[in-house]
Amino acid sequence: RRLVLDATALSALEIVETLEGTYKGSLLDFLNHTSTDFGFRLLKQWLCAPLFDLQAIRDRQEAVQYLSNTADVRDALRAGFKKVGVDLERATSRIWSFAVQAERHAVYYEDVTAKRLGMFRELLLEYQRCLRVLSTTLQGRKDLPRRLSQIVRPAPEGALPDLEGIITGLLES
């Protein structure tokens, strides 16, 4: 569902860097209005592996157009996601690596385990914060384009995993 661009194409199109080898002046630099590290990485992924499916392209265009035209929604999302205290993608990866180490029966000192549990708890709270930002900003809006309404609805009808109960259960344990 994505177009594969090789290094030659990425370079010739100056997607990530210019022909001089600088970020400044590249397409990514021009389009980057992201507020978070994970938003920047997502934009970079989108540019380096653009959508191939016409309907998916139209859905994304509608979502971008909606956010461009609806300043209150865009600003609320931006402000809410800026408050997220950790880089969710990297922190999740770090926690996952801790779990893999534990699965290998690695021996931990008590203070290391407590620190890692604290990091896991912090990550859960930040995921909870993101879910609240999405729900308070987008849920109940009748004018959402198709892709944004999918993102807001929990699975199986929507794209958002129903994490609230899982997060609450983990935090309580």
Side-chain angles (χ1 to χ4, degrees):
R1 295 182 42 120
R2 297 193 176 273
L3 185 63
V4 177
L5 299 177
D6 63 7
T8 305
L10 290 171
S11 176
L13 294 170
E14 298 185 334
I15 302 285
V16 179
E17 59 184 32
T18 63
L19 294 175
E20 291 80 34
T22 62
Y23 167 73
K24 191 76 174 154
S26 68
L27 180 63
L28 180 60
D29 174 48
F30 178 75
L31 294 176
N32 183 24
H33 298 286
T34 59
S35 301
T36 63
D37 291 338
F38 51 91
F40 175 79
R41 282 193 303 277
L42 180 61
L43 176 62
K44 187 175 178 181
Q45 287 171 6
W46 284 0
L47 292 175
C48 291
L51 293 172
F52 186 77
D53 179 65
L54 185 58
Q55 186 57 50
I57 292 169
R58 286 185 177 138
D59 288 346
R60 185 176 290 168
Q61 285 176 329
E62 286 176 5
V64 169
Q65 187 68 41
Y66 177 82
L67 292 172
S68 294
N69 294 339
T70 317
D72 61 322
V73 173
R74 180 189 63 239
D75 294 343
L77 289 171
R78 176 174 277 150
F81 289 136
K82 274 185 176 180
K83 292 178 185 175
V84 175
V86 298
D87 184 330
L88 293 175
E89 190 176 27
R90 289 208 170 134
T92 301
S93 177
R94 196 173 316 116
I95 297 295
W96 182 255
S97 73
F98 295 156
V100 169
Q101 289 173 3
E103 197 173 270
R104 292 185 195 143
H105 306 292
V107 177
Y108 295 115
Y109 293 103
E110 206 170 294
D111 58 332
V112 173
T113 302
K115 181 179 177 184
R116 289 181 176 174
L117 283 172
M119 290 170 65
F120 182 59
R121 184 177 193 289
E122 179 185 343
L123 178 64
L124 290 173
L125 291 171
E126 295 301 334
Y127 269 109
Q128 206 169 40
R129 180 190 313 257
C130 285
L131 290 171
R132 280 195 207 109
V133 168
L134 285 173
S135 66
T136 58
T137 307
L138 298 178
Q139 272 184 339
R141 294 190 70 101
K142 304 294 184 211
D143 59 340
L144 288 178
R146 192 169 81 94
R147 182 65 184 138
L148 287 178
S149 64
Q150 283 177 330
I151 290 171
V152 175
R153 285 193 320 265
E157 303 88 34
L160 187 66
D162 190 9
L163 297 176
E164 193 62 46
I166 295 169
I167 291 173
T168 302
L170 287 169
L171 288 171
E172 290 174 353
S173 66

